[in-house]
């Protein structure tokens, strides 16, 4: 029933294109959409902060962004609404999710309050501030009717935005690139691990080194093999009967033993 | 139906290409900013393509060269005596803008000298690879490696953003400029070589609170746009003076805008980030923030409040007077209780923000000139003071706890003497720039009848003199302890920065007339 009403109410609004909403008056359809989506947007925002799991947080944020995008479209700003969905929800949030999944999504933030009662105070003050702003705006804007919407959208929404962006705000628009470069450099600086040359060893190099002259490719003999002594200072015997000094831990001579104790214990043959 | 709408909107005559014309841009007037932005972009490329061993030299010469070129251009523009609002009215290049841009450039050069110092510590004050977990084996291995050279393009971006911030004549441009200079600072705060966790904590704290204040600022811009139907400061002034708009939007918008700006100048009650961030950030970056950010933030504050909100139409004075008084008192009183030299300087910078606000609140040409002079004078002192802090070191890096400074005067009389001189300048003793600058703002405020502000200012200065003098007493009259840190011999760059800072402090104290005249000539805003 409500749906039918919505569609019926939306019909004339669409007919009054190009502006999706006529300036000044709010159609029933717009009101219905608003009252359905406003709690969704608000719930998403609260859920984003309250969720323990980072992925849930991100998805809550996506919900809020979608709801906001519908609002933008509804308020005769189809371009910004679409950009919100494509760029924010589509690109940035999905990238964010990818990063979360790659880095690991364990909730690792501790919820210990370092200042006692800070959270309650913050919630109380936050709600108070929100109420203050909301009541002031409600009182202040009750009698205000929007102006200039049709004029702004006269040549088309995208064209109108382009006209403002490339004339009055051209410098701000260009300077935003500095912001993006800074963000990219910052991500590199904070997250990129550059291994110095020589630290990266390939499988091939490792294999070469293992069979190179002077190294011992096979398993190394453990201490005490064929030994008459069970001291860790007893070296293992090599196939030719010689003693392998590599089979003794390097720590042994350094333990503060007397030289007699630290000297390799010979195995009787 | 949707397809029908689409077809119709495609058939709509688009805005004619002739309607959309690029506004006239006075390229000479904005050239200083363009040079710095360009240098920053070249610096980013250099970080990618220049071989590792040359990077440091290339980057440092690039930043300093760009700053000097920008300074030359600013002087050229100022000599030509132009005062224009260019790029569609988004940027105003006028007296205050040029003066403040020049100050940012000069103080920026000195700060870059401190940032580029590599002889005090192997590899400089910045970590080599910030991505490594602090305290891990890989982190210990990088202790001796040269610091990251991405620092220099970031500093260029920050300084360019500050130059734009003081000349933005449009709330949206102002916001973009705010972000352009804040973002690099958030990053730079987290790149200290020593005490990395503290440094990263300060970066996160600054970033979160800064983002929060930016949101306030932006909400304020939106409400003011709702009030005036425009974001330009000139249009805003007209709407405010006409007085027939929606005053709820005006007051709410103005309040939120003020929160964003006062956060950046670190005025009470938006100051709580300052001590932690100043303490955790690498000391050269702290110096940059204390000197240049303060100049930029006050420049924007002056412009917004004088140009867009004339007091006759909307009286914001009582609120700002209360904030200025709170700022001076809280800064001074909390400075007394500090035991860490960097935190002490942070609280002193909060109190100094209150003194500059005094000049702003004079609402006269003398007040603007006094504030401009104060910002330059304070910038030099604070740069030199943090320069000295980088010199007092032990095996763990800088020894910032005050107890470690005991007896420093006997071990290294020269550095202690320099620091004593700087402390005297902070305290506002005659023959230092601190006295002349305080005199300039207080006399301007007195001239406008702001007696309360001046009384509080003088009283808080007296309180603030105590922690400064306590450091001096500690350095000279205490016995040096066994673990009194050594004072490193400053490298060429730090020595140059210290010399410039101390000379400027002395000159502005003894012969302030040229700079005072310059500031007095540069008080006319255009919009």
């Amino acid at each position: 029933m409500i749906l039918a009403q919505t569609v019926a109410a939306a019909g004339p609004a669409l007919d009054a294109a190009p502006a999706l909403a006529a300036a000044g008056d709010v159609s029933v359809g717009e009101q219905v959409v608003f009252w359905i989506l406003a709690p969704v947007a608000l719930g998403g925002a609260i859920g984003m902060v309250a969720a323990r799991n980072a992925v849930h947080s991100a998805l809550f944020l996506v919900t809020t962004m979608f709801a906001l995008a519908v609002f933008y479209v509804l308020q005769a700003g189809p371009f910004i609404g679409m950009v919100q969905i494509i760029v924010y929800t589509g690109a940035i949030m999905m990238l964010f999710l990818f990063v979360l999944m790659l880095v690991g999504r364990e909730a690792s933030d501790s919820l210990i309050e370092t200042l006692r009662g800070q959270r309650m105070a913050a919630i109380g003050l936050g709600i108070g501030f929100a109420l203050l702003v909301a009541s002031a705006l409600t009182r202040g804007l009750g009698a205000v009717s929007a102006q200039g919407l049709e004029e702004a959208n006269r040549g088309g929404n995208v064209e109108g935005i382009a006209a403002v962006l490339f004339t009055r705000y051209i410098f701000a628009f260009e300077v935003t690139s500095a912001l993006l470069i800074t963000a990219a450099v910052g991500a590199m600086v904070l997250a990129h691990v550059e291994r110095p040359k020589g630290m990266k060893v390939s499988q091939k190099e490792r294999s070469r080194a293992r069979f190179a002259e002077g190294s011992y490719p096979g398993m190394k003999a453990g201490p005490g093999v064929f030994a008459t002594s069970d001291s860790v200072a007893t070296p293992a015997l090599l196939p030719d009967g010689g003693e392998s000094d590599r089979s003794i831990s390097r720590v042994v001579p350094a333990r503060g033993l007397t030289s007699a104790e630290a000297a390799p214990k010979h195995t009787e043959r | 139906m949707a397809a029908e709408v689409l077809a119709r909107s495609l058939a709509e005559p688009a805005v004619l290409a002739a309607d959309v014309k690029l506004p006239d841009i006075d390229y000479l007037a904005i050239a200083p900013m363009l040079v710095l932005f360009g240098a920053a972009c070249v610096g980013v490329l250099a970080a990618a393509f220049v071989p590792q061993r040359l990077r440091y030299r290339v980057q440092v010469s690039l930043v300093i060269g760009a700053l000097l070129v920008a300074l030359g251009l600013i002087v050229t523009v100022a000599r030509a005596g132009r005062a224009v609002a260019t790029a569609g009215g988004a940027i105003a290049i006028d007296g205050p803008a040029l003066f403040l841009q020049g100050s940012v450039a000069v103080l920026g050069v000195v700060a870059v000298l401190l940032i580029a110092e590599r002889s005090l510590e192997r590899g400089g004050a910045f970590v080599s690879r910030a991505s490594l977990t602090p305290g891990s084996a890989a982190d210990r291995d990088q202790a001796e490696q040269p610091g990251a050279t991405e620092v220099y393009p970031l500093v260029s971006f920050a300084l360019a953003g500050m130059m734009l911030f003081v000349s933005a004549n449009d709330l949206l441009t102002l916001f973009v400029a705010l972000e352009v200079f804040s973002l690099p600072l958030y990053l730079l705060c987290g790149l200290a070589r020593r005490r990395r966790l503290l440094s990263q904590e300060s970066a996160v704290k600054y970033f979160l609170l800064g983002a929060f204040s930016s949101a306030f600022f932006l909400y304020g811009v939106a409400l003011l746009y709702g009030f005036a139907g425009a974001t330009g400061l000139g249009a805003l002034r007209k709407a405010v003076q006409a007085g027939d708009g929606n005053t709820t939007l005006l007051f709410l918008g103005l309040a939120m805008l003020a929160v964003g700006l006062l956060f950046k100048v670190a005025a009470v009650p938006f100051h709580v980030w300052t001590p932690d961030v100043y303490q955790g950030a690498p000391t050269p970056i702290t110096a940059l923030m204390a000197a240049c950010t303060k100049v930029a933030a006050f420049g924007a504050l002056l412009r917004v409040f004088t140009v867009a909100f004339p007091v006759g139409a909307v009286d914001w004075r009582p609120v700002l007077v209360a904030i200025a008084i709170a700022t001076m008192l809280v800064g001074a009183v909390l400075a007394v209780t500090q035991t860490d030299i960097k935190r002490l300087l942070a609280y002193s910078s909060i109190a100094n923000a209150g003194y500059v606000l005094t000049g702003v609140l004079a609402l006269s040409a003398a007040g603007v000139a006094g504030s401009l002079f104060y910002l330059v004078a304070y910038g030099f002192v604070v740069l030199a003071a943090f320069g000295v802090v980088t010199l007092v070191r032990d095996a763990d890096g800088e020894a910032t706890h005050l107890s470690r400074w005991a007896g420093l005067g006997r071990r290294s009389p020269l550095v202690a003497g320099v620091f004593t001189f700087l402390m005297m300048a902070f305290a506002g003793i005659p023959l230092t720039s601190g006295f002349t600058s305080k005199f300039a703002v207080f006399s301007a405020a007195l001239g406008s009848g702001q007696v309360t502000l001046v009384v509080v200012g003088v009283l808080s200065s007296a309180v603030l003199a105590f922690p400064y003098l306590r450091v001096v007493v500690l350095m000279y009259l205490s016995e040096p302890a066994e673990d009194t840190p050594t004072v490193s011999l400053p490298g060429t760059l730090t020595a140059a920065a210290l010399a410039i800072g101390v000379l400027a402090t002395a000159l502005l104290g003894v012969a302030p007339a040229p700079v005072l005249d310059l500031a007095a000539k540069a008080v006319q805003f255009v919009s």
Side-chain angles (χ1 to χ4, degrees), chain A residues 136 140 144 167 169 171 190 192, chain B residues 21 23 91 129 131 170 231 246 248:
Chain A
V144 170
T167 57
Y169 298 120
F171 202 76
L190 292 184
H192 177 63
Chain B
K21 233 178 70 190
I91 301 170
R129 280 168 289 152
S131 47
D170 179 295
T231 54
N246 190 324
T248 314

Side-chain angles (χ1 to χ4, degrees), chain B residues 31 47 66 96 102 142 181 192 199 227 229 241 253 261 265 267 287 346 358-359 369 380 386 428 444 462 471 496 509:
Chain B
Q142 67 169 345
F181 87 75
S199 164
F227 164 75
Q241 277 172 336
L261 289 172
V265 306
T358 310
F380 279 117
F386 278 114
V471 179

Side-chain angles (χ1 to χ4, degrees), chain A:
Chain A
M1 187 65 197
I2 292 172
L3 193 68
Q5 265 179 357
T6 317
V7 172
L14 279 178
D15 280 335
L20 286 173
D25 53 342
V26 181
S27 67
V28 181
E30 195 178 335
Q31 281 193 3
V32 171
V33 174
F34 176 82
W35 287 113
I36 292 173
L37 283 186
V40 174
L42 205 58
I46 293 172
M48 185 247 166
V49 179
R52 293 282 179 92
N53 188 321
V55 176
H56 295 174
S57 266
L59 290 175
F60 273 121
L61 192 58
V62 169
T63 319
T64 302
M65 284 177 167
F66 261 120
L68 291 182
V70 175
F71 288 155
Y72 296 153
V73 175
L74 209 64
Q75 292 176 345
F79 178 72
I80 196 79
M82 289 304 146
V83 166
Q84 167 97 354
I85 291 178
I86 296 168
V87 176
Y88 276 89
T89 325
I92 295 178
M93 282 316 294
M94 290 310 123
L95 204 66
F96 196 76
L97 277 177
F98 272 127
V99 172
L100 272 182
M101 298 288 194
L102 282 177
V103 172
R105 50 185 186 75
E106 305 88 46
S108 59
D109 51 339
S110 65
L111 288 168
I112 301 164
E113 280 186 289
T114 42
L115 302 173
R116 239 159 55 86
Q118 187 198 20
R119 199 179 311 150
M120 288 325 286
I123 291 174
L125 287 175
I127 290 176
F129 180 72
L131 283 179
L132 184 73
V133 173
S135 62
L137 284 182
T138 319
R139 274 176 63 103
L141 293 179
V144 170
S145 62
Q147 299 170 0
L149 184 59
E150 268 153 19
E151 195 191 339
N153 272 346
R154 194 176 46 202
N157 186 254
V158 180
E159 289 87 344
I161 289 176
V164 176
L165 206 56
F166 292 108
T167 57
R168 201 184 315 152
Y169 298 120
I170 179 74
F171 202 76
F173 178 68
E174 298 285 350
V175 166
T176 312
S177 60
L179 212 54
L180 296 178
I181 297 173
T182 308
V185 172
M188 287 284 292
V189 168
L190 292 184
H192 177 63
V193 180
E194 186 185 9
R195 289 219 175 80
K197 267 179 198 159
M199 259 182 82
K200 258 184 264 176
V201 188
S202 68
Q203 181 71 33
K204 199 170 164 186
E205 283 159 345
R206 244 184 254 180
S207 186
R208 280 240 171 86
R210 185 166 183 186
F211 289 97
E213 191 90 10
S215 59
Y216 189 81
M219 222 160 18
K220 291 167 187 166
V225 176
F226 301 125
T228 52
S229 157
D230 58 358
S231 162
V232 289
T234 309
L237 294 180
L238 295 170
D240 64 351
E243 288 166 356
S244 168
D245 52 350
R246 284 181 306 174
S247 62
I248 302 174
S249 168
R250 272 182 293 130
V251 180
V252 171
R255 277 280 172 80
L257 306 176
T258 60
S259 56
E261 284 165 333
K265 307 282 181 295
H266 292 280
T267 307
E268 287 169 26
R269 298 181 191 138

